[in-house]
Amino acid sequence: MSGREGRLTVDGERAVLTFERRLPFPIEAVWSAITDPDERGQWFGATTIDAREGGSIEMVATGPPLPDDRKKMTGRILVWDPPHVLEHEWRQPIVENGVVRYELRAEGDATVLRFTHRGLSVRNATGFRGGTAAYLDRLGAHLSGAPLPEWSNSRD
């Protein structure tokens, strides 16, 4: 496991962020939280998804406190394999174009989520690391019905 704060790996001028979280919920519940626009909107941000390989995804994250047009993420869905893999492009004005991947593996009554974001510069990956950990904390809270931590409070 890569720990709560994830792992940053450098490959030339680009970096990869990798997080693994063991979530005590069935794989279908985790898949739904990640891919259902209504659920995703509760813990991550307003989302629209054309749920298929080749479809599109758009999202405006709840944080950071930037104008929506700066933090709006768009992309094409590269892998759609319910309930195991969602991979999509991550195009956002504040960072380099990249790819994010959610891989889910059932482990008993729980699910192991492996999240990767590749294609970022080392500087931006370092900056995204805390925010990504915070949003994964929010995902866990959403699944358990707990109050969502503010994305910025989880970063310290």
Side-chain angles (χ1 to χ4, degrees), residues 9-29:
T9 310
V10 178
D11 182 13
E13 295 181 7
R14 293 287 179 243
V16 179
L17 282 176
T18 305
F19 291 81
E20 283 195 16
R21 297 283 178 97
R22 187 177 191 281
L23 302 165
F25 304 96
I27 194 169
E28 293 81 9

Side-chain angles (χ1 to χ4, degrees), residues 4-145:
R4 184 196 166 279
E5 291 302 320
R7 184 176 67 243
L8 188 150
T9 310
V10 178
D11 182 13
E13 295 181 7
R14 293 287 179 243
V16 179
L17 282 176
T18 305
F19 291 81
E20 283 195 16
R21 297 283 178 97
R22 187 177 191 281
L23 302 165
F25 304 96
I27 194 169
E28 293 81 9
V30 178
W31 177 260
S32 181
I34 291 168
T35 61
D36 178 271
D38 292 333
E39 282 198 64
R40 190 176 167 105
Q42 294 176 43
W43 64 272
F44 206 167
T47 302
T48 58
I49 296 178
D50 178 6
R52 62 186 175 84
E53 195 165 306
S56 61
I57 182 169
E58 290 188 3
M59 182 187 71
V60 177
T62 305
L66 294 171
D68 286 355
D69 65 332
R70 297 287 298 148
K71 59 185 178 176
K72 181 179 183 179
M73 180 278 298
T74 62
R76 189 171 44 93
I77 295 174
L78 304 172
V79 179
W80 180 265
D81 180 17
H84 302 287
V85 180
L86 167 61
E87 181 179 89
H88 63 83
E89 298 167 329
W90 185 282
R91 294 189 190 128
Q92 192 177 32
I94 59 174
V95 294
E96 302 80 11
N97 289 343
V99 173
V100 300
R101 182 177 178 96
Y102 301 83
E103 295 177 72
L104 305 179
R105 183 181 81 246
E107 192 173 89
D109 293 338
T111 302
V112 175
L113 163 64
R114 179 179 174 89
F115 173 89
T116 56
H117 189 155
R118 60 186 195 272
L120 296 168
S121 67
V122 175
R123 179 175 182 268
N124 283 329
T126 301
F128 261 53
R129 192 174 185 177
T132 302
Y135 276 111
L136 293 176
D137 289 348
R138 289 171 61 86
L139 168 61
H142 166 76
L143 285 162
S144 66

